[in-house]
Amino acid sequence: MNVFYEESGTFKVGAVLADNTTSLQVEASHGKRSKIKASAVLLRFEMPSLYEFMYQAQQVAADLDTDFLWECCTNSEEFSSHTLAADYFGHSPSPVEVAAIMILLNNSPMYFYKKGQGRYKAAPAEALRAALASQEKKRLEAEQQTRYKQQLSTFTLPEEFRPQLDDLLYKPNKNTIEWKALEAACTATKLSVPKLLEKCGAISSTHDYHFNQFLREHFPEGIDFNLPEVDNIFRDYENLPIAEVAAFSIDDATTTEIDDAFSVTPLALGSFRIGIHIAAPALGITPGSHLDKVAAKRLSTVYLPGQKITMLPEKTIDFYTLSETRLCPAISLYLDVADDFTVTASQSRIEKIRIVANLRHDTLEQQFNEDTLRKNLTNYPFANELSLLWNFSRKMEIFRGKENDLNNEKIDYSFFVEQDRIIIQERRRGSPIDRVVSELMIYANTEWGKQLADAGIAGIYRSQNGGKVKMSLSPAPHQGLGVAQYAWSSSPMRRYIDLINQRQLIALLKDAIPPYSKESDELLISMRDFEQAYSIYSDFQRAMERYWCLRWLLQENIQVTGAQVIKENLVKLDRIPFIVRVSSLPDLLPGTIVKLELSQIDLIECTLNTRFLSKE
């Protein structure tokens, strides 16, 4: 005796070795023995053989007309496969014919719903049409996906991909056939998605690819401000006193957000007064206003070679920036300084100041440098004022214990991009310009942080302990700067933390209620969000500087270059701030100068291949 039975949704046949009423021991045609439930048996037969039975049943099933069978069953609620076999064949069906009907019914789930052992029901006409349409759609999509993959694998971009390129590059829907085809083509070509799309001509600008990737993730709504008309962004402007000083700023040539300016006024007996003047957007940008919400969301200006994403709209920046030949609202810190360059008194004021000049690094560095200071040359604008500020800055460095700071010997790099051409210039960090500006900013941020702390007014401080920098609402020493407390207040147009601290300082100077209390959730949220955003923006700036370094290497056709070993196989290339691992580098001491061969620069992955040539 043989049986035709169902197991895990599959039809099988076997020869009965033992029948135990509720279960059977059967043997398949290939010799495997199994124990099955008696309820799983659909048919019992003697002939033909097991192999012939399944072969014949499948052959008969292949000749059956599924549509005709469905039409025959549409008037039935439920039916058994035996009944349908008898109706279809017009006689008492053989086991092979019944098995064939069962195979067809089981293989046509869109046409027939299974209702039990050997029992089925015809699908409603509407449901069947929908199922068939879905099946046809999947078939067409599968064909289309195959076509897409073939095109992509030969580096041809399907036209249908063009409207979806941004999504495919930055935020793909992995359920679409376009993504599935792209993924399959990447597997076949062993390329990443961006590299494959680049080879297909879908990435016209590698710079835009990196920039748009950043925007898509961190500025999904775009970088336009889309603000309602901002009115009254400056209050009490006309009522502010005008300072009797002539102030000047010192900035990079590309700076538009001029936050700080300085003045020097002679006093009696060789003493003088230094004015540190900071732009005052907090006078007009009120907490909770539309403009404030934008600044609180962006938290900082984003810098990258050739462009920037400002924290505040251009019109607001133009209003508050310390531009020359203008009267500008400012928060001023005045320091009375004796002839030995010690501070004898200080005072903070809210006022308007007259900016007489915006000095720029590229011009000023040729006039104000170690050589001109050593020779005591004074044939350039503000020479006397800058000389006094230089000597005061050196005194402050000594006071902070930083007179021999090794950071002053490090090299900074300036990037200039014009019409897709990159210029990278080296600048020693400890130039007189840098040291004057940084010392005056350190003094202002330290002093104003102290004033807030002494008055019991909440502020956001930066501290450093054991090399780790953190932000908090409590004043604490900043070991790296050598100061007792440090509260960013000097860049309120570029950093939201500075804008918050400036609001608190204005309240102190006006003897008004501060906008934020020490228990304010807004302070904690702003501090947390700022740290996260500032880290992301800094990482992006470094990534884009790395990109432009590679562009510079291509532009200058640099194939062999010098480099300095940092440690192990890590080296820094000459003339640019680019660090790379050289796998072929021998074991050399840090600081060793080597010569490298460069090749295979990849502007998508921002990588290049290097090969050690020699030790210099």
Side-chain angles (χ1 to χ4, degrees):
M1 177 63 69
N2 301 318
V3 291
F4 177 74
Y5 64 97
E6 184 177 8
E7 184 178 70
S8 302
T10 303
F11 293 132
K12 297 180 179 181
V13 290
V16 177
L17 300 178
D19 190 341
N20 300 317
T21 308
T22 58
S23 64
L24 291 81
Q25 187 81 16
V26 299
E27 184 179 62
S29 59
H30 49 73
K32 182 182 177 182
R33 295 187 176 187
S34 305
K35 182 180 179 180
I36 64 172
K37 292 181 180 180
S39 58
V41 175
L42 301 170
L43 295 169
R44 295 173 184 264
F45 63 94
E46 294 287 348
M47 296 294 291
S49 67
L50 296 180
Y51 174 78
E52 284 296 322
F53 182 90
M54 284 301 291
Y55 175 76
Q56 292 177 19
Q58 289 167 351
Q59 289 296 106
V60 173
D63 292 334
L64 296 175
D65 188 332
T66 306
D67 290 308
F68 176 72
L69 280 175
W70 175 79
E71 290 176 2
C72 293
C73 302
T74 52
N75 296 326
S76 304
E77 283 298 313
E78 283 188 21
F79 58 87
S80 71
S81 51
H82 289 76
T83 302
L84 180 59
D87 291 344
Y88 183 83
F89 292 107
H91 58 255
S92 179
S94 67
V96 167
E97 291 171 331
V98 175
I101 290 290
M102 288 184 177
I103 290 171
L104 180 134
L105 294 174
N106 199 61
N107 291 343
S108 307
M110 289 187 298
Y111 287 81
F112 304 100
Y113 301 155
K114 191 171 184 179
K115 293 296 182 180
Q117 192 77 304
R119 297 192 63 79
Y120 295 85
K121 179 183 178 180
E126 188 175 330
L128 178 60
R129 282 195 297 270
L132 290 173
S134 176
Q135 184 183 54
E136 178 64 8
K137 180 182 178 182
K138 289 179 181 178
R139 184 188 68 79
L140 293 174
E141 287 180 346
E143 289 180 358
Q144 194 173 35
Q145 184 175 322
T146 300
R147 177 173 65 85
Y148 288 161
K149 180 192 171 185
Q150 291 171 345
Q151 288 180 277
L152 292 165
S153 297
T154 57
F155 308 127
T156 300
L157 185 72
E159 284 301 316
E160 296 88 341
F161 275 50
R162 295 193 183 278
Q164 304 180 49
L165 282 175
D166 278 0
D167 288 335
L168 289 170
L169 277 169
Y170 307 125
K171 196 174 181 180
N173 178 353
K174 297 189 177 181
N175 292 319
T176 63
I177 60 171
E178 288 81 8
W179 174 258
K180 291 175 182 177
L182 184 57
E183 197 171 37
C186 287
T187 301
T189 59
K190 295 182 173 59
L191 294 172
S192 66
V193 168
K195 286 300 294 179
L196 177 57
L197 289 176
E198 182 193 29
K199 281 185 170 291
C200 292
I203 299 177
S204 57
S205 166
T206 51
H207 172 273
D208 290 351
Y209 162 70
H210 293 293
F211 185 63
N212 292 336
Q213 185 178 44
F214 173 77
L215 293 187
R216 190 67 179 257
E217 184 174 356
H218 301 290
F219 290 83
E221 298 173 2
I223 58 176
D224 293 334
F225 285 91
N226 299 320
L227 281 169
E229 192 65 31
V230 178
D231 56 354
N232 200 21
I233 59 172
F234 185 80
R235 306 168 195 275
D236 302 328
Y237 174 74
E238 297 300 330
N239 299 325
L240 291 178
I242 300 175
E244 295 181 0
V245 298
F248 58 91
S249 65
I250 304 174
D251 291 281
D252 185 90
T254 60
T255 299
T256 57
E257 301 153 290
I258 303 175
D259 285 299
D260 50 82
F262 315 105
S263 62
V264 179
T265 304
L267 299 177
L269 303 175
S271 63
F272 57 96
R273 177 172 294 156
I274 294 175
I276 304 172
H277 313 285
I278 305 299
L283 286 170
I285 304 174
T286 56
S289 64
H290 289 296
L291 203 49
D292 178 60
K293 289 176 181 177
V294 166
K297 189 172 183 179
R298 297 200 174 191
L299 293 160
S300 172
T301 291
V302 183
Y303 293 95
L304 62 154
Q307 63 188 118
K308 61 184 175 181
I309 304 170
T310 58
M311 182 180 79
L312 295 173
E314 184 178 349
K315 285 185 178 180
T316 307
I317 293 170
D318 288 345
F319 189 90
Y320 287 108
T321 191
L322 303 182
S323 294
E324 61 187 8
T325 71
R326 281 175 49 184
L327 276 174
C328 303
I331 312 296
S332 299
L333 173 63
Y334 289 100
L335 309 176
D336 288 355
V337 183
D339 56 1
D340 64 351
F341 300 102
T342 58
V343 176
T344 59
S346 67
Q347 183 184 24
S348 297
R349 301 177 193 164
I350 304 171
E351 59 189 4
K352 288 183 288 189
I353 59 169
R354 190 177 303 280
I355 306 297
V356 296
N358 293 141
L359 306 181
R360 301 297 183 174
H361 287 172
D362 52 351
T363 302
L364 186 59
E365 280 187 340
Q366 299 173 31
Q367 304 165 334
F368 178 55
N369 53 55
E370 288 96 335
D371 187 50
T372 58
L373 285 167
R374 186 173 57 255
K375 295 177 180 178
N376 199 27
L377 300 179
T378 58
N379 57 343
Y380 56 91
F382 303 100
N384 292 328
E385 290 89 341
L386 289 168
S387 178
L388 287 172
L389 292 178
W390 166 246
N391 288 316
F392 174 76
S393 298
R394 293 174 65 192
K395 180 82 172 188
M396 292 304 102
E397 283 182 338
I398 295 171
F399 181 75
R400 294 189 299 113
K402 301 296 177 180
E403 65 272 24
N404 297 313
D405 194 347
L406 295 178
N407 284 326
N408 288 335
E409 301 304 317
K410 290 184 177 179
I411 299 296
D412 284 332
Y413 294 85
S414 299
F415 289 75
F416 303 94
V417 182
E418 293 182 5
Q419 297 181 346
D420 230 24
R421 182 172 178 82
I422 180 72
I423 298 172
I424 303 176
Q425 295 179 345
E426 293 181 323
R427 291 184 67 250
R428 186 168 62 82
R429 185 178 296 179
S431 69
I433 289 177
D434 289 347
R435 291 166 74 177
V436 163
V437 173
S438 64
E439 282 302 322
L440 294 176
M441 292 303 98
I442 290 170
Y443 198 102
N445 291 326
T446 300
E447 174 62 23
W448 280 335
K450 181 178 184 299
Q451 289 183 22
L452 291 177
D454 290 346
I457 295 177
I460 299 177
Y461 296 85
R462 287 175 67 83
S463 62
Q464 185 188 56
N465 185 15
K468 185 176 181 180
V469 178
K470 70 173 185 176
M471 303 186 78
S472 71
L473 302 182
S474 301
H478 193 299
Q479 293 177 346
L481 297 176
V483 295
Q485 69 285 312
Y486 189 75
W488 262 345
S489 311
S490 54
S491 294
M493 289 191 291
R494 294 183 279 181
R495 293 188 298 243
Y496 192 64
I497 295 301
D498 299 55
L499 185 63
I500 286 176
N501 283 337
Q502 189 178 81
R503 286 172 177 158
Q504 301 293 84
L505 181 62
I506 290 171
L508 171 63
L509 298 179
K510 287 185 172 183
D511 196 22
I513 298 174
Y516 311 97
S517 68
K518 291 184 177 180
E519 295 77 29
S520 171
D521 288 340
E522 290 179 77
L523 282 185
L524 286 170
I525 292 170
S526 296
M527 183 176 68
R528 180 202 64 199
D529 291 349
F530 177 84
E531 281 193 291
Q532 183 179 14
Y534 202 65
S535 174
I536 291 169
Y537 297 168
S538 297
D539 288 346
F540 177 60
Q541 179 179 354
R542 285 190 290 271
M544 291 309 295
E545 288 178 354
R546 184 176 179 86
Y547 166 84
W548 281 110
C549 284
L550 292 174
R551 285 283 297 267
W552 182 83
L553 291 171
L554 289 172
Q555 171 186 291
E556 303 299 320
N557 194 27
I558 306 294
Q559 299 176 7
V560 175
T561 185
Q564 184 176 42
V565 178
I566 298 174
K567 63 177 181 178
E568 299 173 351
N569 63 352
L570 204 63
V571 304
K572 180 200 165 294
L573 303 190
D574 285 351
R575 294 182 284 173
I576 56 175
F578 194 93
I579 295 173
V580 64
R581 292 193 180 276
V582 183
S583 58
S584 60
L585 193 74
D587 190 13
L588 297 171
L589 292 174
T592 303
I593 305 301
V594 296
K595 184 181 289 187
L596 303 176
E597 180 184 56
L598 308 180
S599 63
Q600 294 182 320
I601 293 177
D602 187 331
L603 295 177
I604 290 289
E605 305 292 343
C606 287
T607 58
L608 80 162
N609 285 356
T610 56
R611 185 170 69 88
F612 172 74
L613 293 178
S614 63
K615 175 183 172 183
E616 294 295 292

